[in-house]
Amino acid sequence: AEKKGRVEFRDVTFKYPGAEAPVLSNISFTAEPGKTLAIIGSTGAGKTTLVSLLPRLYDVASGDVLLDGVPVTEMDASEITSRVSAVPQKPYLFSGTIEHNLRFGKPDATDEELWDALETAQAKGFVEEKSSGLNRRIAQGGTNVSGGQRQRLSIARALVTKPNVYLFDDSFSALDVATDARLRKALKGKTKDATVIIVAQRVSTIADADEILVLDNGRIVDRGTHDELLETSPTYQEIVES
Ligand code: DCP
Ligand code: MG
């Protein structure tokens, strides 16, 4: 069967409600199933805004965001949620058990699926270390787990839903470089048929992406693979050296 999850932005411009200037201008790109698209750029460049347009946290001012050729503005919320899993830059956990948090997007997931997702997200050891396991309680806002653990549980939650598209907004930044690398390797095996879009701060996180978009001030200023950008993009070189 044909793989699903092709994401296309066509000349997208976006302004926050009430703002004068657009924070995104003329954004066009395609992300294909089985591939990883990365987005990098300085703080305030518009990365989070860009990835929030696919799950329709906001709608575009002009242009189109399409999922498998259909504008997301024509899809209902439940279809988008079942097909697109977003791990937000500031992941949230609910007060309740780890199990409750993981099953959020797929209530009928089996325990095996939950453990499998935890293993990929490098969070299995953390859950196993207490005898309460999946029944361990998370405080409201996830305040009784560390930032890195919150990120990994949030990644596991996204994996449980088995979507067509994964959006990771700076999801690996709280992890040490070795855990980041292990997690992304495990992730690769589990997301082979899906479209993966990764927003990152660290070049090491995205160096192996199929395509990298360099975002600056709401515009895509350069695009290519890591090796291509090292040759052609002063903005990318600056990020590499920072
Ligand atoms: N912005 C806004 N209103 C919001 C969110 C953001 O006016 N609710 C503005 C702040 C920035 C611009 O939009 O000028 C882009 O913000 P992003 O959060 O999209 O930027 P990044 O995700 O690239 O920044 P960071 O790397 O800090 O996460
Ligand atoms: Mg951001």
Side-chain angles (χ1 to χ4, degrees):
E2 203 177 316
K3 291 177 184 174
K4 286 190 170 173
R6 185 172 190 271
V7 175
E8 189 180 354
F9 275 54
R10 273 191 205 149
D11 204 18
V12 165
T13 294
F14 174 77
K15 267 184 222 189
Y16 278 102
E20 299 233 317
V23 291
L24 293 173
S25 305
N26 309 109
I27 301 291
S28 295
F29 66 87
T30 304
E32 300 281 352
K35 306 243 158 138
T36 299
L37 177 88
I39 302 168
I40 199 161
S42 56
T43 178
K47 305 179 297 295
T48 295
T49 306
L50 195 161
V51 293
S52 71
L53 298 177
L54 182 63
R56 287 190 67 191
L57 302 184
Y58 296 98
D59 280 333
V60 301
S62 67
D64 274 307
V65 176
L66 305 121
L67 180 54
D68 290 319
V70 179
V72 289
T73 47
E74 289 172 17
M75 294 183 176
D76 59 32
S78 65
E79 181 176 3
I80 299 177
T81 333
S82 69
R83 300 193 51 200
V84 178
S85 271
V87 179
Q89 191 167 15
K90 293 201 176 68
Y92 48 87
L93 296 176
F94 309 106
S95 88
T97 62
I98 287 178
E99 175 173 354
H100 167 206
N101 270 279
L102 292 179
R103 279 190 205 280
F104 174 71
K106 196 182 178 214
D108 61 350
T110 64
D111 279 10
E112 198 188 337
E113 288 176 303
L114 302 188
W115 283 111
D116 191 50
L118 287 166
E119 185 167 21
T120 305
Q122 311 297 306
K124 195 174 168 211
F126 159 71
V127 178
E128 277 174 341
E129 99 200 349
K130 293 258 167 81
S131 60
S132 46
L134 289 171
N135 293 318
R136 176 150 152 204
R137 302 213 55 96
I138 302 289
Q140 187 162 10
T143 48
N144 60 343
V145 299
S146 76
Q149 287 156 349
R150 254 199 310 277
Q151 275 190 327
R152 281 177 281 166
L153 289 174
S154 182
I155 291 166
R157 175 198 285 154
L159 284 161
V160 168
T161 65
K162 300 193 173 77
N164 301 139
V165 184
Y166 289 92
L167 300 176
F168 297 108
D169 189 355
D170 205 13
S171 304
F172 313 108
S173 59
L175 310 174
D176 60 78
V177 174
T179 309
D180 176 6
R182 260 203 318 276
L183 196 160
R184 283 180 301 100
K185 186 165 181 242
L187 210 53
K188 252 203 162 127
K190 293 291 174 185
T191 59
K192 276 200 186 87
D193 294 332
T195 302
V196 178
I197 299 180
I198 297 184
V199 171
Q201 302 277 352
R202 275 200 294 252
V203 166
S204 65
T205 305
I206 56 155
D208 60 353
D210 297 288
E211 187 177 23
I212 301 167
L213 307 180
V214 183
L215 205 63
D216 189 28
N217 212 355
R219 292 176 184 274
I220 298 173
V221 292
D222 292 301
R223 63 176 84 203
T225 62
H226 174 72
D227 289 341
E228 287 163 359
L229 290 169
L230 283 179
E231 295 289 324
T232 60
S233 173
T235 315
Y236 192 72
Q237 287 156 12
E238 247 173 63
I239 298 167
V240 172
E241 283 156 20
S242 66

